[in-house]
Amino acid sequence: MSVLTRLLGRDADDELVIEPMRRRHLADVLEIEQVSYPKPWSRNVFHSELELARAGDRYYIVARSGAVAIGYAGLMFVVGDAHVTNIAVSADRQRHGVATRLLANLSWEAINRGCEAMTLEVRVSNVGAQALYRSFGFVPAGVRQRYYENTEDAIVMWCHDIADREFRERLTLLSPESVLAVWRQGTL
């Protein structure tokens, strides 16, 4: 058991690994996708997104416990900003900090790529996700009417000044594990 694991009070078997999404993860990712979204992305969409990640236009990660991917998230880079394309966690692992770790990792990646802000859309009905995003400093900036399946509105949220010290400190408090992971990658 690592020192960090002991300090955080977790068992070694429960260690969460955040790593780049690969095609080998897609079976688990698609299973989560199917239960998370009324109109889930197809395998082909994920293949296309992974190709864009290889080109540097996207960034996709998975959260893995053992050999199983239990969550995933992605970013799209657009003219100095990062757009969160998706964050999803398997139902049995929700409310265990997985989404926090994923969003923290996305945030560090956006900072490392020189982005100044992050944005996303979230369902009006998804108050849990809205609370998570607010904890990171995202604030509502508008509404996209009938954005989801042409029936449900989306709240557009932005988090500005992500390169500032205050945002980095917030990330450290929200997810100390993400700081260690970024440090190990040599990008902190």
Side-chain angles (χ1 to χ4, degrees), residues 135-146:
S135 73
F136 275 78
F138 283 84
V139 295
V143 173
R144 294 190 198 280
Q145 294 189 355
R146 301 172 61 105

Side-chain angles (χ1 to χ4, degrees), residues 83 121 142-148 152-156:
H83 180 86
E121 292 90 12
V143 173
R144 294 190 198 280
Q145 294 189 355
R146 301 172 61 105
Y147 182 76
Y148 292 103
E152 186 173 2
D153 294 349
I155 298 172
V156 178

Side-chain angles (χ1 to χ4, degrees), residues 59-135:
Y59 177 71
Y60 282 91
I61 53 175
V62 296
R64 188 173 48 75
S65 179
V68 178
I70 60 168
Y72 61 94
L75 278 179
M76 174 175 61
F77 301 100
V78 182
V79 193
D81 294 331
H83 180 86
V84 177
T85 58
N86 46 23
I87 297 179
V89 176
S90 63
D92 63 328
R93 295 300 295 263
Q94 291 177 1
R95 307 281 187 260
H96 289 94
V98 177
T100 299
R101 292 271 308 275
L102 288 166
L103 186 54
N105 188 289
L106 294 181
S107 299
W108 285 116
E109 183 67 19
I111 291 167
N112 290 334
R113 292 206 188 190
C115 295
E116 298 174 13
M118 293 176 67
T119 185
L120 54 82
E121 292 90 12
V122 59
R123 288 177 185 277
V124 169
S125 63
N126 195 342
V127 293
Q130 292 170 39
L132 171 69
Y133 303 144
R134 281 189 180 93
S135 73

Side-chain angles (χ1 to χ4, degrees), residues 152-168:
E152 186 173 2
D153 294 349
I155 298 172
V156 178
M157 299 182 84
W158 279 88
C159 184
H160 293 282
D161 303 320
I162 65 171
D164 290 357
R165 181 179 52 84
E166 293 84 11
F167 185 74
R168 291 171 186 254

